[in-house]
Amino acid sequence: MGNSALKAHLETAQKTGVFQLTGKGLTEFPEDLQKLTSNLRTIDLSSNKIELLPPLIGKFSFLKSLVLNNNKLTALPEELCKLKKLETLHLNGNHLMQLPAAFGQLSALKTLSLSGNQLRTVPTQLCGLRHLDVVDLSKNQIQNVPDTVGELQAIELNLNQNQISQISVQISHCPRLKVLRLEENCLELSMLPQSILSDSQISLLAVEGNLFEIKKLRELEGYDKYMERFTATKKKFA
């Protein structure tokens, strides 16, 4: 892509606060963007070949949305965690194995998508995020859901298409969790904490494609309580 094209994109971004450059084969984060650190609210560099996010990402202090789906990122810089206004972070289809240690400092984060990466566990950093609504960790390599999940503030947690065979009973204690997606994992029915049904806020539990028949779920103690929540929620949105 020529310099003139990039220049045109930068001029538009200066006016709109949105920089979008997708599917252009970029191998690195455009350095020229640092001229707009105080202008930009949205950066979308999806479907490129970016391998590294430079430390200068931490300078975009007004950034609300960062979208880098389908790139080649293997790690994220700690500087990313300085983005105190960031509400939406989409990093689907990269090669991420973990999140920066200070990730819990992204205090405004509401939506986090990490589908199609190489995470092996539910990152504990997520538990510090008080405004998190939706977390998508589908299509990773997660094998178990640890005790720390009980502190997660999310309303929806998507763990579809992982390798989960164990879930901590603490998941029933998530204060705001309404939607839990566990489709296409490696769960035996005996490994699904019954308290999810009998004693949680969860009103939509999606567990198709595991190692048990769905009708067996209906025989578990607490299923009627779950159905009460499920039906009440359905009525509310009907």
Side-chain angles (χ1 to χ4, degrees), residues 167-186:
I167 300 178
S168 166
V169 68
Q170 296 296 325
I171 199 157
S172 324
H173 298 165
C174 293
R176 301 201 305 151
L177 191 61
K178 298 276 195 290
V179 178
L180 178 58
R181 300 186 187 279
L182 287 162
E183 293 177 329
E184 294 179 48
N185 277 284
C186 309

Side-chain angles (χ1 to χ4, degrees), residues 1 11 20 56 77 82 87 108 122 176 211 216:
M1 192 184 74
E11 281 170 11
Q20 187 175 32
L56 68 88
K82 293 179 181 171
E87 293 177 8
V122 176
R176 301 201 305 151
L211 307 179
K216 295 278 187 214

Side-chain angles (χ1 to χ4, degrees), residues 46 123 141 155 168 176:
S46 294
Q141 295 162 21
I155 296 168
S168 166
R176 301 201 305 151

Side-chain angles (χ1 to χ4, degrees), residues 4-190:
S4 54
L6 181 60
K7 201 173 167 199
H9 275 281
L10 287 167
E11 281 170 11
T12 307
Q14 196 164 3
K15 296 186 190 102
T16 61
V18 177
F19 184 84
Q20 187 175 32
L21 200 56
T22 59
K24 296 287 188 232
L26 295 181
T27 53
E28 50 190 49
F29 186 88
E31 294 246 323
D32 285 348
L33 281 184
Q34 42 188 335
K35 297 170 187 163
L36 301 177
T37 46
S38 56
N39 300 65
L40 290 184
R41 304 292 183 271
T42 299
I43 295 176
D44 183 355
L45 294 166
S46 294
S47 303
N48 282 293
K49 294 174 183 172
I50 298 167
E51 292 178 24
L52 277 177
L53 205 48
L56 68 88
I57 192 68
K59 295 180 181 171
F60 292 87
S61 43
F62 297 98
L63 200 63
K64 282 192 164 185
S65 174
L66 178 60
V67 184
L68 287 157
N69 294 333
N70 305 317
N71 276 281
K72 298 191 173 193
L73 298 171
T74 53
L76 300 170
E78 288 290 339
E79 287 80 4
L80 176 72
C81 308
K82 293 179 181 171
L83 302 178
K84 298 291 185 229
K85 288 192 163 41
L86 194 67
E87 293 177 8
T88 304
L89 180 57
H90 289 292
L91 296 162
N92 301 328
N94 281 283
H95 308 293
L96 299 169
M97 296 176 81
Q98 57 190 32
L99 298 180
F103 198 82
Q105 292 175 11
L106 290 170
S107 49
L109 201 62
K110 290 180 181 174
T111 304
L112 174 63
S113 288
L114 288 160
S115 180
N117 279 281
Q118 292 167 24
L119 299 173
R120 292 184 176 271
T121 185
V122 176
T124 51
Q125 297 95 313
L126 303 186
C127 298
L129 298 167
R130 294 279 162 250
H131 299 287
L132 206 52
D133 290 335
V134 179
V135 181
D136 185 355
L137 301 175
S138 61
K139 299 181 185 172
N140 277 279
Q141 295 162 21
I142 298 168
Q143 293 177 6
N144 62 25
V145 180
D147 287 349
T148 44
V149 76
E151 296 167 43
L152 191 69
Q153 298 290 320
I155 296 168
E156 177 169 345
L157 176 59
N158 186 344
L159 292 166
N160 289 347
Q161 292 178 297
N162 277 283
Q163 298 156 21
I164 297 166
S165 59
Q166 278 187 312
I167 300 178
S168 166
V169 68
Q170 296 296 325
I171 199 157
S172 324
H173 298 165
C174 293
R176 301 201 305 151
L177 191 61
K178 298 276 195 290
V179 178
L180 178 58
R181 300 186 187 279
L182 287 162
E183 293 177 329
E184 294 179 48
N185 277 284
C186 309
L187 281 168
E188 301 274 1
L189 190 57
S190 59

